[in-house]
Amino acid sequence: PPGNGVRYNRVEFRTGSCMNNLHVKYLLVGGGLASSSAADAIRQLDRDGSVLLVAQEVTRPYHRPPLSKEYLRRQKSRAELFTHEPGWFENHHVELRTGRRVAHLDIPRMAAVLDDGQAISFDRMLLATGSTPAALQIPGSRLPNLFYLRTLDDCELLHHAVDKARREGRQHESGRGKVAIIGGGVLGVELAASLSQMGLSIDLLLSHAHPWNKFAGEATGRFISLYLQKRGVRVRPLSPPRRLEGDGRVQRVELPDGTTVECDFSIAAVGAVPNRDLLHGTPIAAGRAILTDEHCRTSVRGIYAAGDCAAIFDPLFGKHRVLDHWDNAAVTGRLAGRNMAGADEPYSTVNNFFSDVFELTLNGWGDSRHIDRRLLRGAPNVDAPDFVEIGVAADGRIVQVLSVGHQGEDDVLRDLVGKRVRVDGNEEALKDPKSGLRTLVG
């Protein structure tokens, strides 16, 4: 609303007659990588427009991948997690409001109301509210000592649980502390590896026949099971927990066959749910996540979405996609910020995801949902892993590539997906590690 101009750190904020109201040019809702990437991108194109970033957590934006790896293992400091140096937001005139939550959106007035009652009107808004761990829905799932991992606070709770288990927990052949990890996706496998490296005894409980079931084929899934087991992780396929039990806290997990897994604590890593509660009562279109076009624009003019809460339209596959990985938060956050500041750039990235498990690195590009068959380039040897899995759609075009322990060909592997290369009669060349891939890409 119009009012008297008030200078804030050389950036123009306008307030109305009510001192509790504030107007900003750019309102960024969410305190993760997508929002901080958007702030960075906005400042590259608009040095003076007022920017307010509202973060529900009390810390400034940070990177989440180390929470299940280096930070959990205490190999990386808290200071190394943050997306920007301590003075970046102040030096770039971005107001950072931590420990606050947007409680309500008033779309007709282009305004948001914070949980402390302050109303903030905006010219453009980014919804980057992230996701929440999917809750385990079985008897006993409300008992203490069942953990989830999403935030820095979650990781600190895990640190305390690990320390206590190593000090007072159940004995095993190399020390104390037993953990039951529920879920065999990227997060569950990373947690199994990290906690094993920290000296704990790990049972990895899977609903499916092998880990990475969401995106990897049977051969790669069998490989990662053997790889984990060789390093001491007990992988239990087709063993979704039936109930959690214990004397006031989780101490046992009952499996479908009636056997139990003893533990000092358990971690559920069974998926994530995009945060879209703010959309209730608004005309912003959504399915499982907030729908955006290839420019990160929602169905309401001036409102954008990025990161885990958004399903961006991907021209490469011709559909909306929820891409809940670090790379997507950085890419879509940056794209949304640039377009909010006046650019007109479409999403043109081949999505990438990655994982580190013990000494193994996984890199993936593309979409597994349209895979008709898979080709293996190289052999999945647990003693010297170095292979590539290539997913081919029914029309003969490559839709996904997984690189497992393989180095040096990221660009060409990405291009196999980005150019939707047709396999045609090249199956044998694709499977032969000695054949060059660049000639197939063109």
Side-chain angles (χ1 to χ4, degrees):
N4 297 323
V6 177
R7 300 298 294 181
Y8 181 89
N9 282 352
R10 290 174 49 204
V11 179
E12 190 75 14
F13 283 77
R14 301 198 306 275
T15 63
S17 57
C18 176
M19 292 299 291
N20 204 35
N21 291 341
L22 176 71
H23 179 88
V24 296
K25 186 173 183 180
Y26 306 101
L27 175 62
L28 310 180
V29 181
L33 176 61
S35 274
S36 65
S37 298
D40 204 341
I42 287 169
R43 277 294 172 254
Q44 291 176 15
L45 298 180
D46 184 348
R47 297 177 58 188
D48 298 319
S50 51
V51 181
L52 172 62
L53 191 157
V54 178
Q56 187 168 341
E57 293 184 61
V58 296
T59 56
R60 68 183 189 273
Y62 58 89
H63 296 289
R64 298 189 191 278
L67 298 185
S68 59
K69 295 178 284 192
E70 302 94 336
Y71 187 73
L72 178 60
R73 299 193 300 263
R74 294 187 168 99
Q75 295 169 341
K76 180 172 282 192
S77 70
R78 186 185 182 97
E80 293 177 280
L81 297 180
F82 296 109
T83 62
H84 292 87
E85 294 297 321
W88 186 91
F89 292 95
E90 181 178 0
N91 293 338
H92 290 79
H93 316 301
V94 174
E95 183 185 1
L96 183 59
R97 194 85 61 89
T98 60
R100 289 266 71 92
R101 178 177 59 86
V102 173
H104 173 69
L105 295 180
D106 186 341
I107 299 302
R109 292 179 174 81
M110 294 291 277
V113 180
L114 302 188
D115 53 359
D116 63 358
Q118 182 177 29
I120 301 170
S121 61
F122 54 84
D123 295 331
R124 295 168 196 122
M125 178 175 69
L126 174 68
L127 294 171
T129 49
S131 62
T132 300
L136 193 63
Q137 302 287 348
I138 59 173
S141 59
R142 294 186 179 275
L143 286 171
N145 268 19
L146 173 65
F147 296 93
Y148 296 88
L149 179 60
R150 172 66 183 175
T151 68
L152 192 51
D153 286 345
D154 292 338
C155 195
E156 300 297 354
L157 291 174
L158 272 180
H159 278 156
H160 291 303
V162 168
D163 291 344
K164 184 175 181 180
R166 292 172 67 181
R167 188 174 59 248
E168 306 170 5
R170 288 168 170 76
Q171 286 189 318
H172 55 87
E173 60 184 15
S174 57
R176 288 183 178 271
K178 293 186 175 183
V179 185
I181 298 174
I182 302 166
V186 169
L187 179 59
V189 170
E190 287 180 353
L191 286 168
S194 286
L195 294 175
S196 179
Q197 287 174 282
M198 297 173 76
L200 297 170
S201 174
I202 307 299
D203 284 276
L204 182 62
L205 312 181
L206 311 179
S207 295
H208 301 282
H210 57 73
W212 293 350
N213 180 78
K214 184 177 177 181
F215 58 86
E218 184 178 352
T220 299
R222 284 200 308 266
F223 159 80
I224 193 63
S225 286
L226 292 172
Y227 182 84
L228 290 168
Q229 289 177 107
K230 182 166 184 171
R231 284 152 181 78
V233 176
R234 284 178 297 281
V235 179
R236 297 178 181 265
L238 302 173
S239 298
R242 190 159 69 180
R243 63 171 51 87
L244 305 179
E245 300 173 339
D247 183 13
R249 66 189 189 280
V250 175
Q251 296 173 310
R252 293 178 300 280
V253 183
E254 183 179 325
L255 303 183
D257 62 1
T259 62
T260 58
V261 174
E262 301 289 323
C263 61
D264 295 297
F265 64 90
S266 182
I267 307 173
V270 293
V273 180
N275 293 327
R276 49 183 294 276
D277 291 349
L278 268 180
L279 272 59
H280 293 164
T282 76
I284 300 172
R288 175 172 171 259
I290 304 168
L291 300 177
T292 79
D293 65 9
E294 64 269 32
H295 293 77
C296 295
R297 299 176 297 211
T298 71
S299 58
V300 174
R301 185 180 178 85
I303 299 180
Y304 297 70
D308 293 357
C309 70
I312 190 169
F313 184 81
D314 185 349
L316 181 62
F317 293 97
K319 64 180 182 179
H320 286 92
R321 301 179 65 202
V322 179
L323 304 169
D324 52 353
H325 298 285
W326 178 92
D327 183 75
N328 176 65
V331 169
T332 59
R334 183 167 56 249
L335 179 64
R338 289 183 62 80
N339 288 338
M340 291 169 75
D344 185 24
E345 300 171 356
Y347 180 81
S348 58
T349 302
V350 179
N351 68 289
N352 170 243
F353 57 95
F354 61 87
S355 182
D356 297 305
V357 182
F358 292 104
E359 310 86 28
L360 184 72
T361 296
L362 162 79
N363 253 304
W365 298 267
D367 191 334
S368 64
R369 281 171 288 186
H370 296 295
I371 293 177
D372 177 69
R373 64 189 188 279
R374 300 172 191 264
L375 307 174
L376 276 187
R377 182 179 175 86
N381 185 336
V382 295
D383 294 316
D386 181 358
F387 68 97
V388 175
E389 180 186 279
I390 300 170
V392 183
D395 65 0
R397 295 192 296 170
I398 294 173
V399 289
Q400 186 190 62
V401 170
L402 300 178
S403 166
V404 183
H406 186 70
Q407 304 293 328
E409 291 188 295
D410 285 2
D411 289 346
V412 68
L413 294 176
R414 181 189 63 237
D415 286 347
L416 288 174
V417 177
K419 296 186 177 182
R420 299 298 304 275
V421 171
R422 287 192 176 276
V423 172
D424 295 328
N426 295 313
E427 288 91 345
E428 294 308 313
L430 282 167
K431 291 189 290 185
D432 183 1
K434 298 178 182 177
S435 67
L437 289 176
R438 178 55 68 183
T439 56
L440 298 177
V441 173

